Amino acid sequence: GENVEQHPSTLSVQEGDSAVIKCTYSDSASNYFPWYKQELGKGPQLIIDIRSNVGEKKDQRIAVTLNKTAKHFSLHITETQPEDSAVYFCAPPGTGFQKLVFGTGTRLLVSP
Amino acid sequence: GEEVAQTPKHLVRGEGQKAKLYCAPIKGHSYVFWYQQVLKNEFKFLISFQNENVFDETGMPKERFSAKCLPNSPCSLEIQATKLEDSAVYFCASTDRNEKLFFGSGTQLSVL
Protein backbone atom coordinates (compact mmCIF):
# COMPACT_ATOMS: atom_id res chain seq x y z
CA GLY A 1 0.00 0.00 0.00
CA GLU A 2 0.85 3.66 -0.17
CA ASN A 3 3.38 4.95 2.38
CA VAL A 4 3.34 8.70 2.91
CA GLU A 5 5.90 10.78 4.78
CA GLN A 6 5.53 14.47 5.43
CA HIS A 7 8.15 16.98 6.61
CA PRO A 8 8.58 19.04 8.67
CA SER A 9 6.21 18.14 11.49
CA THR A 10 6.18 21.73 12.74
CA LEU A 11 7.05 24.96 10.99
CA SER A 12 7.19 28.42 12.53
CA VAL A 13 7.52 31.47 10.29
CA GLN A 14 7.10 35.21 10.54
CA GLU A 15 4.21 36.86 8.76
CA GLY A 16 5.20 37.56 5.17
CA ASP A 17 7.71 34.71 4.96
CA SER A 18 7.30 31.69 2.71
CA ALA A 19 6.58 28.17 3.94
CA VAL A 20 7.32 24.89 2.18
CA ILE A 21 6.05 21.46 3.22
CA LYS A 22 7.21 18.29 1.48
CA CYS A 23 5.40 15.00 1.03
CA THR A 24 7.01 11.76 -0.14
CA TYR A 25 4.92 8.84 -1.35
CA SER A 26 5.73 5.28 -2.36
CA ASP A 27 3.15 4.21 -4.96
CA SER A 28 4.47 5.10 -8.41
CA ALA A 29 0.94 4.56 -9.82
CA SER A 30 -0.41 7.53 -7.83
CA ASN A 31 -1.78 10.22 -10.15
CA TYR A 32 -3.63 12.65 -7.86
CA PHE A 33 -1.93 14.76 -5.19
CA PRO A 34 -4.03 16.91 -2.85
CA TRP A 35 -3.16 19.14 0.08
CA TYR A 36 -5.60 19.71 2.94
CA LYS A 37 -5.70 22.38 5.64
CA GLN A 38 -7.22 21.53 9.01
CA GLU A 39 -8.08 24.24 11.51
CA LEU A 40 -8.85 23.50 15.13
CA GLY A 41 -12.19 21.79 15.57
CA LYS A 42 -12.84 21.52 11.83
CA GLY A 43 -12.57 18.93 9.12
CA PRO A 44 -9.81 18.93 6.51
CA GLN A 45 -10.35 21.45 3.73
CA LEU A 46 -8.93 20.87 0.25
CA ILE A 47 -6.74 23.87 -0.61
CA ILE A 48 -4.97 22.74 -3.77
CA ASP A 49 -4.46 19.58 -5.80
CA ILE A 50 -2.47 18.49 -8.82
CA ARG A 51 -2.58 15.61 -11.27
CA SER A 52 0.40 13.65 -12.48
CA ASN A 53 0.42 15.17 -15.96
CA VAL A 54 1.22 18.60 -14.52
CA GLY A 55 4.42 19.66 -12.76
CA GLU A 56 3.17 22.76 -10.96
CA LYS A 57 -0.08 24.47 -10.11
CA LYS A 58 -0.61 27.85 -8.51
CA ASP A 59 -3.62 29.47 -6.86
CA GLN A 60 -2.88 32.97 -5.54
CA ARG A 61 -0.43 32.52 -2.61
CA ILE A 62 -0.52 28.73 -2.70
CA ALA A 63 1.31 26.44 -5.12
CA VAL A 64 1.98 22.73 -5.41
CA THR A 65 4.92 21.22 -7.26
CA LEU A 66 5.25 17.58 -8.24
CA ASN A 67 8.33 15.50 -8.93
CA LYS A 68 7.05 12.12 -10.12
CA THR A 69 10.53 10.70 -10.67
CA ALA A 70 11.53 11.33 -7.07
CA LYS A 71 7.97 10.60 -5.83
CA HIS A 72 7.45 13.76 -3.85
CA PHE A 73 5.24 16.82 -4.01
CA SER A 74 5.44 20.05 -2.08
CA LEU A 75 3.12 22.77 -0.82
CA HIS A 76 4.39 26.34 -1.12
CA ILE A 77 2.73 29.23 0.70
CA THR A 78 4.05 32.71 -0.02
CA GLU A 79 3.44 35.92 1.93
CA THR A 80 2.15 33.92 4.89
CA GLN A 81 -0.55 35.43 7.11
CA PRO A 82 -1.60 34.52 10.68
CA GLU A 83 -4.78 32.92 9.29
CA ASP A 84 -2.57 30.39 7.46
CA SER A 85 -1.78 28.89 10.88
CA ALA A 86 -3.22 25.36 10.85
CA VAL A 87 -2.23 21.74 10.33
CA TYR A 88 -1.55 20.82 6.70
CA PHE A 89 -1.85 17.30 5.35
CA CYS A 90 -0.82 15.73 2.08
CA ALA A 91 -3.13 12.86 1.18
CA PRO A 92 -2.44 10.96 -2.04
CA PRO A 93 -4.98 8.21 -2.66
CA GLY A 94 -3.87 4.67 -2.09
CA THR A 95 -5.28 1.75 -4.02
CA GLY A 96 -8.85 2.83 -4.58
CA PHE A 97 -10.95 5.81 -5.55
CA GLN A 98 -10.23 8.62 -3.10
CA LYS A 99 -9.04 6.17 -0.45
CA LEU A 100 -6.77 8.91 0.87
CA VAL A 101 -3.59 8.05 2.74
CA PHE A 102 -2.88 11.04 4.94
CA GLY A 103 0.58 12.19 5.87
CA THR A 104 1.33 12.82 9.53
CA GLY A 105 0.62 16.52 9.22
CA THR A 106 2.62 19.74 9.51
CA ARG A 107 1.66 22.29 12.12
CA LEU A 108 2.28 25.72 10.62
CA LEU A 109 2.46 28.68 12.96
CA VAL A 110 2.61 32.14 11.43
CA SER A 111 3.58 34.83 13.92
CA PRO A 112 2.53 38.44 13.36
CA GLY B 1 -27.01 21.26 1.12
CA GLU B 2 -23.77 23.01 0.22
CA GLU B 3 -21.74 21.41 2.98
CA VAL B 4 -21.34 18.00 4.56
CA ALA B 5 -23.39 17.98 7.75
CA GLN B 6 -22.39 15.68 10.60
CA THR B 7 -24.32 15.05 13.80
CA PRO B 8 -23.85 15.01 16.67
CA LYS B 9 -20.78 17.20 17.17
CA HIS B 10 -19.87 15.39 20.38
CA LEU B 11 -20.88 11.96 21.66
CA VAL B 12 -19.96 10.42 25.00
CA ARG B 13 -20.46 6.71 25.62
CA GLY B 14 -19.57 4.31 28.38
CA GLU B 15 -17.49 1.34 27.32
CA GLY B 16 -19.76 -1.32 25.86
CA GLN B 17 -22.49 1.09 24.79
CA LYS B 18 -23.58 1.69 21.21
CA ALA B 19 -22.69 4.83 19.27
CA LYS B 20 -24.37 6.06 16.10
CA LEU B 21 -23.07 8.91 13.96
CA TYR B 22 -24.85 10.62 11.07
CA CYS B 23 -23.75 12.32 7.88
CA ALA B 24 -25.66 14.24 5.22
CA PRO B 25 -23.47 14.58 2.11
CA ILE B 26 -23.50 17.57 -0.22
CA LYS B 27 -26.55 17.43 -2.48
CA GLY B 28 -25.70 15.77 -5.76
CA HIS B 29 -22.62 13.96 -4.47
CA SER B 30 -22.86 10.25 -5.06
CA TYR B 31 -19.82 9.13 -3.04
CA VAL B 32 -19.61 9.19 0.75
CA PHE B 33 -16.53 8.35 2.82
CA TRP B 34 -15.90 7.81 6.52
CA TYR B 35 -12.49 8.51 8.07
CA GLN B 36 -11.33 8.17 11.66
CA GLN B 37 -8.82 10.65 13.12
CA VAL B 38 -7.01 9.57 16.26
CA LEU B 39 -4.25 11.32 18.21
CA LYS B 40 -4.91 14.57 16.34
CA ASN B 41 -2.93 13.71 13.21
CA GLU B 42 -3.56 10.08 12.28
CA PHE B 43 -6.29 9.52 9.73
CA LYS B 44 -7.64 6.10 8.85
CA PHE B 45 -9.98 5.32 5.97
CA LEU B 46 -12.95 3.24 7.12
CA ILE B 47 -15.49 2.80 4.32
CA SER B 48 -16.90 4.43 1.19
CA PHE B 49 -20.27 4.31 -0.55
CA GLN B 50 -21.45 4.96 -4.07
CA ASN B 51 -25.03 6.02 -3.50
CA GLU B 52 -26.45 3.31 -1.21
CA ASN B 53 -23.94 0.66 -2.22
CA VAL B 54 -20.76 -0.13 -0.31
CA PHE B 55 -17.87 0.88 -2.60
CA ASP B 56 -14.85 0.01 -0.47
CA GLU B 57 -14.99 -1.37 3.07
CA THR B 58 -11.41 -2.52 3.46
CA GLY B 59 -10.80 -0.19 6.42
CA MET B 60 -13.75 -1.26 8.54
CA PRO B 61 -13.23 -3.25 11.75
CA LYS B 62 -16.13 -5.52 10.86
CA GLU B 63 -16.77 -7.05 14.26
CA ARG B 64 -18.30 -3.94 15.80
CA PHE B 65 -18.52 -1.32 13.05
CA SER B 66 -21.27 -1.03 10.47
CA ALA B 67 -22.39 1.71 8.09
CA LYS B 68 -25.30 2.47 5.80
CA CYS B 69 -26.33 5.01 3.19
CA LEU B 70 -30.05 4.60 2.47
CA PRO B 71 -32.05 6.66 -0.04
CA ASN B 72 -33.54 9.88 1.36
CA SER B 73 -31.81 9.42 4.73
CA PRO B 74 -28.53 10.60 6.24
CA CYS B 75 -25.71 8.08 6.06
CA SER B 76 -24.82 6.47 9.38
CA LEU B 77 -21.85 4.86 11.08
CA GLU B 78 -22.65 2.61 14.03
CA ILE B 79 -20.29 1.15 16.59
CA GLN B 80 -21.64 -1.66 18.73
CA ALA B 81 -20.07 -2.27 22.14
CA THR B 82 -17.69 0.67 22.04
CA LYS B 83 -14.15 0.31 23.35
CA LEU B 84 -11.78 2.91 24.76
CA GLU B 85 -9.70 2.80 21.57
CA ASP B 86 -12.74 3.88 19.51
CA SER B 87 -12.33 7.37 20.99
CA ALA B 88 -11.55 9.57 17.98
CA VAL B 89 -13.01 12.17 15.66
CA TYR B 90 -15.02 10.58 12.87
CA PHE B 91 -15.18 12.53 9.63
CA CYS B 92 -17.55 12.07 6.77
CA ALA B 93 -16.68 13.33 3.30
CA SER B 94 -18.46 13.40 -0.03
CA THR B 95 -17.62 13.90 -3.70
CA ASP B 96 -18.90 13.41 -7.18
CA ARG B 97 -16.63 11.83 -9.78
CA ASN B 98 -14.27 14.83 -9.95
CA GLU B 99 -12.37 13.46 -6.95
CA LYS B 100 -12.34 16.64 -4.82
CA LEU B 101 -13.33 15.47 -1.35
CA PHE B 102 -15.33 17.75 0.91
CA PHE B 103 -15.22 16.95 4.62
CA GLY B 104 -17.70 17.65 7.39
CA SER B 105 -16.70 19.07 10.77
CA GLY B 106 -16.61 15.67 12.39
CA THR B 107 -18.12 13.90 15.39
CA GLN B 108 -15.91 13.69 18.47
CA LEU B 109 -16.58 10.32 20.11
CA SER B 110 -15.36 9.88 23.68
CA VAL B 111 -15.60 6.39 25.19
CA LEU B 112 -15.23 6.40 28.97
Side-chain angles (χ1 to χ4, degrees), chain A residues 49 51 98-100 104, chain B residues 35 37 41 58 91 99-100:
Chain A
D49 56 6
R51 295 193 181 276
Q98 280 297 44
K99 189 176 170 182
L100 302 182
T104 48
Chain B
Y35 284 84
Q37 185 179 25
N41 283 5
T58 51
F91 288 103
E99 293 189 292
K100 295 184 187 295

Side-chain angles (χ1 to χ4, degrees), chain B residues 24-38:
Chain B
I26 292 173
K27 192 176 179 181
H29 283 187
S30 54
Y31 291 88
V32 171
F33 299 76
W34 286 98
Y35 284 84
Q36 179 193 54
Q37 185 179 25
V38 297

Side-chain angles (χ1 to χ4, degrees), chain A residues 32 36 38 41-44 46 49 51 87 89 95 97-100 102-105, chain B residues 31 33 35 37 41 43 45 55-56 58 91 95-101 103-105:
Chain A
Y32 176 66
Y36 286 84
Q38 186 177 27
K42 297 186 178 180
L46 179 67
D49 56 6
R51 295 193 181 276
V87 181
F89 293 92
T95 52
F97 176 62
Q98 280 297 44
K99 189 176 170 182
L100 302 182
F102 281 78
T104 48
Chain B
Y31 291 88
F33 299 76
Y35 284 84
Q37 185 179 25
N41 283 5
F43 282 89
F45 167 82
F55 189 73
D56 184 337
T58 51
F91 288 103
T95 188
D96 56 22
R97 273 306 298 198
N98 78 2
E99 293 189 292
K100 295 184 187 295
L101 265 191
F103 283 79
S105 294

